[in-house]
Amino acid sequence: MRRTLAIPFCGFLVLAGFLPAAAPLNVSGTEPLSGTGDLSAAMVAGLHRRLDTLIQEVVTERSALWDNKANSPERAELITRTRATLARITGIIHPRVSPAGLELLASPTFDGTAAESDKLRVLELRWTVVDGVRAEGLLLQPKGTPRAVVLALPDADQTPEMISGLAPGVPPERQYARRLAEAGCLVLVPTLLDRSDAESGNAAIGRLTNQPHREWIYRQAFALGRHPLGLEVQTVQAGLDALLATHRGLRAGIAGWGEGALVAFLAGALDERFAVTAVSGHFGPREGLFAEPIYRNVFGLLRTVGDAELAQLVLPRTVIVEPAAAPAIDGPPSPRPNAAGAAPGAIRTPLPAEFELEIRRARRLAGAEAGNLIVIPPAPGVSPDFFSEETLRTLLDRLAPGASLPSVGVALADLRTDHSPVRRQARLVRAWESFLQGQIAASRATRDDRFWKPTPVNTPEAWTEAMRPHRERFATETIGRVAPTVAPLNPRSRLLAEKPGWTAHEVVLDVAPDVFAWGYLLQPADLRPGERRPVVVAQHGLEGVPAEVIDEDTTTRAFSTYKAFAVRLVERGFIVFAPHNPYRGPDFRQLQRKAHPLGLSLFSFITAQHERILDWLGGLPQVDRDRIGFYGLSYGGSTAMRVPASITRYAAVVCSGNFNEWVWKLSTTSWPGSYVFTREYEMPEFDLAGTFNHAEMAALIAPRPFMVERGHADGVGIDEWVSFEYAKVRRLYDRLGIPDRTQIEYFNGPHTIHGVGTYSFLHRHLAWPEPKR
């Protein structure tokens, strides 16, 4: 008797074909797999639940660490260590220009004075932050001897003129830069990157986006180990350098609202020259950071600080917190037919209960220093409500005791006739873009110095040993490692298909709470009792599922992409496992947003899944655990570069449709195929430029066999850059005396499995004879 098995999968009905009545319904040693739900969607949903749990756990762990150090001699060491980490993860790694100086923006017809009253003079100026980047803003000089120095930071969508009284948008009482200057402070107001998108793209190559300028710079900066927040902290610090160079002995303060408050908070935490830090419209729990705009995404932030811990880095200096309403940001600018790709993200004001919870936590952690954490209500009954009279008076009292806050002075008139804040913003965006684009090439020398030059070994054995610390750093700091689980695998399976020459089973394995692995096991029909065969793990790409790598219908998109390569491999005598990776569906990119603040990534969980897959495969009696290879296309090629670089149990690796000068692809604004322009905001890992490009990832795989499959027409890259990066890999294998263990195969074709040289490569290095032609 013969029967047909129908497997519901992801909303589609997959006919497994005619099955012999005696066909095994599940793999030996596994329990029956039941249920008909969408396992792809269930995997992503489970990972969301797991990350939600980890986010709550890390808050508890962080609080316990600081609680144990309150009023302790070890607190100073913790603060020093935390500051160093915070500076690194916000990208403060480039030295500021020295000596610092302010340059008046004057001309033969303009003396640089933007406005003047009986109490103050406003100057338009600029100052150098790092080589090639000059910040611009306003300097408000009080008439008379300054009593203190203040950096006043507006929100990203406010201009310096708005909080200085030279432009509409902020009521006179809330113009805190002007109010502080009228009280006798020397006030510098820098221009921040705003949330418009006029400069977010490259019109010369026809690629525009709707990314806010802050995101546009973030997209370029993240893989380069930089961040717009760090760049703006350095802008503030460079401005302070210049002010204190000519006003030694004055106390310095920093104050900001909205995005300006975030930058001010970070600057106050990192730079002890600020005696007072005033934060308005930005204080609360950060566990929802993943829902905020992506330009606030900081890798590992929640493992380092929340707002309560950030306050500890300012204390015992004064911290003034004003729970004013935050800027109302619902998302990026609306997409347009020729300008899209921005990441979602919103800014909301914390609920009073949320604010109080974080403030109580900050005070508890502060111990004896809690008296310098001052909370002041926002301005009552008005909008905007930032920098109330009480807040400004407290700031002045802490910064310049004896200074008084006068009533608002006479209105200021802008004396400039050709000033354009739009042009100034464009200059700022292009300056940071130019700086970051220069870091792409500079990073190659950095990796040479950090990775290649310190490892001048020339034998495979010595190279393996030399890579141990690099591999550990890659796994823990670049990808992020989730805690290993000791839970049973609990393998479940069910029969999918029996074809002439092979069978397929669907398999599910437990990985961690809410996390499972899932895939298809294909086995040749001619397996003999007691025989152990090599395995090839066949990995699908973006938005794929395991069914696509076994799809033999030549009319489908899946076949045109994957060429049923899992089937071709099992037909060649390999056991094949086709796992599912969770980069599919509308919600998977948000996994990366949740993972990054924890110092994790999507590949943290993919790596953990592959560890469990290898545990299970290696325990099957028909599998030779020392001959398990990996072959992945596209996002599966990204997996090929990352998972075997962390897990040494993969004996041979093929990367198809992905290998690249990856840092360039992530960050360049000069090539239309760059991820800077696309909706794939989850792609970059932080600071790959300073650590591991694809050649360095391949070096972590070495001396195991490694191959690249590259179609000339594959739009993921261009041959010249692929060849440039691969040349480093080839040189390494030659230097190690194993040139036969690596190769690159070019073919005339697009983004697809080619399956010619790669099959021969796997046969050779997994020691399985090729079928006779």
Side-chain angles (χ1 to χ4, degrees), residues 231-247:
L231 301 179
E232 290 180 334
V233 168
Q234 289 189 286
T235 296
V236 166
Q237 291 178 311
L240 184 61
D241 294 341
L243 292 178
L244 295 183
T246 55
H247 294 81

Side-chain angles (χ1 to χ4, degrees), residues 120-318:
L120 60 89
R121 182 184 182 208
V122 182
L123 302 177
E124 183 178 13
L125 42 71
R126 63 190 176 192
W127 62 99
T128 302
V129 182
V130 295
D131 289 331
V133 178
R134 289 185 293 192
E136 296 187 40
L138 299 178
L139 180 68
L140 283 65
Q141 293 180 321
K143 297 289 180 73
T145 303
R147 304 180 65 110
V149 167
V150 175
L151 272 291
L153 279 58
D155 178 56
D157 285 340
Q158 294 174 329
T159 65
E161 287 77 12
M162 289 179 183
I163 66 169
S164 302
L166 274 69
V170 176
E173 295 78 9
R174 305 280 80 78
Q175 294 167 3
Y176 49 99
R178 174 192 178 186
R179 301 289 308 277
L180 292 168
E182 290 175 342
C185 297
L186 181 65
V187 181
L188 181 63
V189 189
T191 304
L192 300 186
L193 293 162
D194 70 16
R195 301 187 187 96
S196 68
D197 63 359
E199 303 300 321
S200 299
N202 185 344
I205 60 173
R207 292 306 302 263
L208 304 177
T209 79
N210 67 325
Q211 297 168 21
H213 291 150
R214 301 187 71 78
E215 180 178 348
W216 174 246
I217 295 301
Y218 165 90
R219 291 284 199 105
Q220 300 168 56
F222 196 76
L224 298 172
R226 270 79 173 182
H227 199 288
L229 291 173
L231 301 179
E232 290 180 334
V233 168
Q234 289 189 286
T235 296
V236 166
Q237 291 178 311
L240 184 61
D241 294 341
L243 292 178
L244 295 183
T246 55
H247 294 81
R248 287 184 174 88
L250 289 184
R251 285 162 61 82
I254 188 166
W257 176 67
E259 215 69 29
L262 171 53
V263 177
F265 205 4
L266 290 170
L270 293 169
D271 197 324
E272 292 184 317
R273 294 177 297 173
F274 289 112
V276 180
T277 300
V279 177
S280 181
H282 182 87
F283 191 94
R286 290 294 147 217
E287 288 70 71
L289 183 60
F290 62 88
E292 295 181 35
I294 197 168
Y295 47 77
R296 292 183 170 189
N297 177 54
V298 177
F299 188 75
L301 181 71
L302 293 183
R303 290 209 176 274
T304 308
V305 294
D307 282 6
E309 289 80 14
L310 203 55
Q312 310 312 304
L313 302 187
V314 183
L315 295 168
R317 295 167 290 132
T318 299

Side-chain angles (χ1 to χ4, degrees), residues 93-105:
I93 57 177
H94 206 88
R96 301 191 301 276
V97 167
S98 181
L102 300 176
E103 178 186 350
L104 193 65
L105 289 175

